[in-house]
Amino acid sequence: MLKKKLTVWIFDATGTPVQKASIPRLLLPMGMLLFIGAAIMVYLGITDYLRLKDATQSIPNLRANLQTQAELVDHQQHQIAAFTLKIEQLKGQLADLHDFEQKIRVIANLDPKDSGESIFGVGGSDPEEIDPTTMIEQDYQDLIRTMHDEINEMDHASHDQQNAFASIFSQLEGKRNLLAATPSIRPVKGWITSRFGRRQSPFTSRSEFHRGLDIATRAGTPILAPADGLVTYSARKGLMGNMITIDHGYGMVTRYGHIQTLLKKKGQRVKRGETIALVGNTGRSTGPHLHYEVRLNGVAVNPMNYFLN
């Protein structure tokens, strides 16, 4: 029968046994297990300490790397926002080309497009709809998706606009004479002080219909013929002062009032851009300016509809 206890003698310095003790037999393996467990815990503690020490030493490098990555991401986001702004500017230029096309169609008497038709199609965003300052607050994937959609939209719009101009060019081939006779440039540079339409008279303060544009500029400024034509009047004419009238053909006539010096005579032919007179202050006028009218088949029309410059 296995003894449950282990007898242990305790000796003095001379080697003489002085005391006998009994130790449970299971205590020895348990002690060994406790010793091994303690050793393992110490090993694990030392390992964790060394690992934490290494990690602590690498924290400055990690912080530097994180800062570099954050700066790179911020720079990329601002680049994307700037690129998006450029896309919006290009969309604005395409919209301007679309308006220019519409003006050409009016001037050349071509079939106009539907006024409600957008160059960017149904559901397309208008220029400047996207605010680039908010771009950096969006998710990166949202930014890329937005830019991709915008570029596709611009690609379709640019192809449509190219086809539209090609169509106009084809139609204009047979209308060169008409275009040469269409008053499409400003006759003088200056400030528009009174527009076409109803206004309050500067002399009577009553409401009246102004049949042209008043363009203020210094006296003696050259007045240019806005299109080819024939001078049909060049003399003084009542409240208009010195006046020139040019018949451009196709029912188109332009009139110029308050002139200082008449440089063309009745019966002379003029070319677009040729100087026909000098700005003055003759007739009923409050200061040096040009009164400019465009008449189509005898009816005054808004000259602003014909300016290409």
Side-chain angles (χ1 to χ4, degrees):
M1 182 175 180
L2 183 64
K3 294 182 178 181
K4 295 182 179 181
K5 291 186 178 181
L6 181 65
T7 301
V8 178
W9 289 92
I10 300 175
F11 299 89
D12 60 9
T14 61
T16 303
V18 295
Q19 187 175 358
K20 182 175 70 172
S22 297
I23 301 175
R25 185 175 295 275
L26 293 177
L27 186 61
L28 185 61
M30 289 178 63
M32 292 296 293
L33 289 175
L34 289 174
F35 176 77
I36 293 173
I40 292 174
M41 292 298 292
V42 170
Y43 172 77
L44 293 176
I46 293 174
T47 303
D48 287 342
Y49 169 77
L50 293 176
R51 186 168 60 252
L52 288 174
K53 183 178 180 180
D54 292 339
T56 302
Q57 291 176 347
S58 64
I59 285 177
N61 292 333
L62 291 174
R63 287 178 177 174
N65 290 336
L66 287 174
Q67 180 65 25
T68 300
Q69 292 297 322
E71 291 175 355
L72 178 61
V73 170
D74 184 68
H75 178 67
Q76 290 175 340
Q77 287 179 329
H78 280 83
Q79 282 186 322
I80 292 173
F83 187 55
T84 304
L85 176 60
K86 186 63 177 178
I87 290 175
E88 292 304 301
Q89 291 173 344
L90 291 174
K91 287 181 68 177
Q93 293 174 5
L94 277 173
D96 290 341
L97 284 175
H98 180 67
D99 293 340
F100 183 69
E101 176 207 342
Q102 296 291 70
K103 182 171 288 190
I104 291 178
R105 288 181 178 275
V106 172
I107 292 173
N109 196 28
L110 301 177
D111 293 334
K113 283 187 175 180
D114 183 0
S115 59
E117 181 180 349
S118 171
I119 188 175
F120 298 108
V122 177
S125 59
D126 293 327
E128 301 180 2
E129 178 181 328
I130 297 176
D131 182 5
T133 60
T134 64
M135 283 281 119
I136 59 176
E137 299 176 1
Q138 296 185 15
D139 180 75
Y140 177 79
Q141 294 299 327
D142 289 341
L143 289 175
I144 298 301
R145 191 179 303 110
T146 299
M147 290 171 59
H148 180 73
D149 292 341
E150 293 289 307
I151 291 174
N152 283 340
E153 193 174 14
M154 285 180 57
D155 183 62
H156 291 306
S158 63
H159 280 90
D160 290 343
Q161 193 61 65
Q162 182 180 5
N163 293 334
F165 277 121
S167 174
I168 288 178
F169 182 80
S170 176
Q171 295 178 62
L172 292 181
E173 280 295 307
K175 296 191 176 184
R176 291 184 180 181
N177 292 335
L178 174 60
L179 290 177
T182 302
S184 57
I185 66 173
R186 295 175 183 266
V188 68
K189 293 182 179 179
W191 298 269
I192 297 177
T193 56
S194 186
R195 296 182 177 273
F196 178 85
R198 300 211 67 82
R199 69 170 184 177
Q200 186 179 35
S201 171
F203 300 98
T204 66
S205 297
R206 295 179 180 177
S207 177
E208 65 176 10
F209 191 85
H210 192 230
R211 292 179 173 81
L213 296 177
D214 286 344
I215 306 174
T217 186
R218 62 181 180 82
T221 300
I223 301 171
L224 308 180
D228 298 354
L230 176 69
V231 177
T232 56
Y233 188 92
S234 180
R236 191 169 184 89
K237 188 176 180 65
L239 299 180
M240 289 284 281
N242 294 328
M243 188 183 83
I244 281 184
T245 300
I246 301 177
D247 186 344
H248 302 282
Y250 302 94
M252 190 73 67
V253 173
T254 54
R255 303 205 310 171
Y256 314 79
H258 310 301
I259 291 172
Q260 173 181 282
T261 306
L262 302 167
L263 300 180
K264 298 296 180 181
K265 296 180 181 180
K266 180 179 178 180
Q268 284 188 288
R269 287 208 162 269
V270 294
K271 291 290 186 180
R272 176 182 284 129
E274 187 175 351
T275 300
I276 59 174
L278 303 179
V279 171
N281 190 27
T282 59
R284 189 168 72 167
S285 172
T286 59
H289 76 284
L290 171 67
H291 174 82
Y292 174 58
E293 294 182 12
V294 176
R295 294 178 177 243
L296 181 59
N297 296 323
V299 179
V301 293
N302 191 350
M304 294 293 294
N305 293 335
Y306 293 88
F307 291 156
L308 290 179
N309 63 336

